Amino acid sequence: MVTMMNMPLERPAVPFFSSGPCAKRPGWNLINLKTESLGRSHRSKIGKSRLALAIDLTREVLQVPADYRIGIVPGSDTGAVEMALWTMLGPKPVEMLAWESFGEGWVTDVVKQLKLNDVIVKKAAYGELPDLTAVNTKNHDVVFAWNGTTSGVRVPNADWIAADREGLTICDATSAAFAQKLDFSKLDVVTFSWQKALGGEGAHGVLILSPRAVERLENYIPAWPLPKIFRMTKGGKLIEGIFKGETINTPSMLTVEDYIDALEWAKSIGGLEALIAKSERNAAVINEWVAKTPWIANLAKDPKTASNTSVCLSIQDAEVVAKGEEAVAQVAKGIASLLDKEGVAYDIGAYRDAPSGLRIWCGATVEASDLDALTPWLDWAFQQEKAKLA
């Protein structure tokens, strides 16, 4: 007979563990946001100056090379990725790498929407990576996610990408930026949304272009029509204003101010290195708990490729697994629902297209002390939900 745990006494001070939008930075308060740009045109002097500041701080904190362009674009990370796919793909064969739902989405866009003919799709199951050494980064364009937000698996580095490549590398880095070291020398297009690792508000994406990506834009005209919000060139030249704060469409200046606040906080704690170290410490809290807890496992099969941000977990309890996938799903959803009801952890269920389980954000805006306080609650909630199966 299993002895049931008592409900834990200590609760996370901040129970926000969503993988997007993510927890606000520690100490965040609405009154800290500057409001002079609100109610003004984004094309006014103050509007453009604040957008330009957001770009400059992005370059500084993320350590983006000086000759790379950074633009604020519509449609969150999805919008940024789509801009790259629709404007740059076509001249070369394309290799699409997918090991989770968002990568699968980019495959659908390229194969079924753009309908490119020369496409190679390399897939892997949730929790694994495709064979990166088999990717022809020398001659082909390559599209991939640095960190699989819905699978908790990341590429370990960029060593597999050819330094003398002729094609472009298009990298969806939305749950990696500000938490993992991106090798910009190997990346031509990098996208993210600031509602992830810095806990900003949604709606806007960031598009970072290497000189090689700019060259592609200026020398290649796609065979298909482009919506206005995708157009980055005019008369065969890059529209430089996009990368100086002159956005394609109207941005939310309140959201921009929130992003600036997050970037200034990131600088105050030590910049990119501090953000990465904090994320690694946070993930270690969960991983150390998993290592000593038999009912749960990391969805990532190889610890070397396990995410330090979107940590995805699967239920491994033999008695629950023996009852089938529906039982596993019931327990996983029950844990998420119970802890939400208790005000202990919000939004920790697995992504809707991912295997049933839990997903706990461990980026730098989360505190390790809150993750420490969370783990006993996970054990308690598991016992409660497993008991319901009987």
Side-chain angles (χ1 to χ4, degrees):
M1 181 176 178
V2 177
T3 302
M4 298 296 287
M5 290 177 58
N6 292 325
M7 179 184 287
L9 298 176
E10 182 182 358
R11 294 169 179 263
V14 181
F16 301 108
F17 302 105
S18 164
S19 291
C22 301
K24 291 298 194 185
R25 57 100 169 166
W28 182 90
N29 193 305
L30 189 60
I31 64 173
N32 294 329
L33 304 188
K34 294 186 177 180
T35 58
E36 292 86 349
S37 65
L38 305 188
R40 298 290 305 275
S41 169
H42 60 293
R43 296 187 177 91
S44 66
K45 183 177 180 180
I46 188 171
K48 287 194 288 187
S49 71
R50 299 303 285 176
L51 288 159
L53 176 60
I55 289 171
D56 291 343
L57 287 171
T58 299
R59 186 180 305 278
E60 180 181 356
V61 176
L62 203 54
Q63 299 178 6
V64 179
D67 58 349
Y68 279 50
R69 269 79 159 195
I70 303 174
I72 297 171
V73 300
S76 193
D77 177 64
T78 300
V81 174
E82 297 284 10
M83 288 177 74
L85 300 183
W86 284 73
T87 58
M88 297 183 209
L89 294 186
K92 288 184 173 291
V94 184
E95 294 201 38
M96 306 291 300
L97 310 185
W99 58 89
E100 48 96 51
S101 56
F102 288 102
E104 290 276 5
W106 310 142
V107 170
T108 297
D109 288 347
V110 171
V111 174
K112 295 185 178 181
Q113 302 300 322
L114 291 176
K115 298 180 180 179
L116 298 184
N117 295 319
D118 205 350
V119 180
I120 301 168
V121 179
K122 290 185 166 70
K123 295 186 180 183
Y126 278 82
E128 301 177 24
L129 286 176
D131 182 3
L132 299 178
T133 63
V135 181
N136 184 354
T137 61
K138 166 70 173 173
N139 305 109
H140 296 171
D141 291 338
V142 181
V143 180
F144 71 102
W146 190 278
N147 183 89
T149 307
T150 66
S151 70
V153 175
R154 60 173 164 175
V155 297
N157 51 54
D159 294 350
W160 55 282
I161 299 174
D164 60 345
R165 63 194 178 280
E166 297 172 4
L168 298 180
T169 50
I170 298 176
C171 174
D172 173 0
T174 197
S175 56
F178 302 105
Q180 299 166 18
K181 186 66 175 178
L182 303 174
D183 186 350
F184 283 98
S185 70
K186 299 292 187 70
L187 304 175
D188 295 300
V189 178
V190 176
T191 70
F192 67 88
S193 60
W194 55 59
Q195 52 99 348
K196 290 289 185 180
L198 289 185
E201 293 302 301
H204 303 304
V206 174
L207 179 68
I208 302 175
L209 305 179
S210 74
R212 300 178 71 255
V214 173
E215 182 181 11
R216 172 74 65 85
L217 283 169
E218 293 183 335
N219 291 280
Y220 167 61
I221 300 176
W224 44 85
L226 293 176
K228 180 180 178 181
I229 60 172
F230 286 3
R231 298 174 204 156
M232 291 182 279
T233 60
K234 186 176 182 180
K237 293 294 182 182
L238 189 73
I239 302 173
E240 292 286 358
I242 296 173
F243 305 94
K244 296 178 181 178
E246 299 171 12
T247 54
I248 295 172
N249 70 335
T250 305
S252 162
M253 293 308 299
L254 184 59
T255 297
V256 172
E257 293 295 347
D258 189 59
Y259 180 45
I260 291 172
D261 174 76
L263 288 165
E264 290 176 337
W265 165 78
K267 283 183 60 179
S268 75
I269 68 168
L272 183 60
E273 288 75 15
L275 294 170
I276 293 173
K278 199 163 184 279
S279 298
E280 293 288 352
R281 286 195 301 272
N282 286 346
V285 171
I286 297 299
N287 290 331
E288 288 167 9
W289 166 74
V290 168
K292 62 183 181 183
T293 305
W295 67 266
I296 198 77
N298 200 309
L299 186 60
K301 300 297 189 292
D302 183 352
K304 293 179 182 177
T305 64
S307 174
N308 67 337
T309 56
S310 52
V311 178
C312 297
L313 305 172
S314 59
I315 293 173
Q316 297 295 303
D317 181 83
E319 294 177 352
V320 174
V321 172
K323 293 179 182 293
E325 291 184 6
E326 288 189 8
V328 172
Q330 179 183 326
V331 170
K333 291 178 181 178
I335 292 171
S337 178
L338 179 57
L339 295 186
D340 183 290
K341 181 180 178 181
E342 291 291 336
V344 168
Y346 299 131
D347 311 314
I348 63 168
Y351 189 72
R352 60 180 180 269
D353 296 330
S356 298
L358 304 173
R359 182 172 59 156
I360 300 170
W361 185 259
C362 292
T365 59
V366 173
E367 298 285 36
S369 57
D370 287 326
L371 291 163
D372 269 322
L374 172 64
T375 55
W377 283 94
L378 292 169
D379 288 324
W380 172 80
F382 169 72
Q383 279 198 347
Q384 304 301 310
E385 295 305 314
K386 180 180 177 179
K388 293 178 182 178
L389 294 178

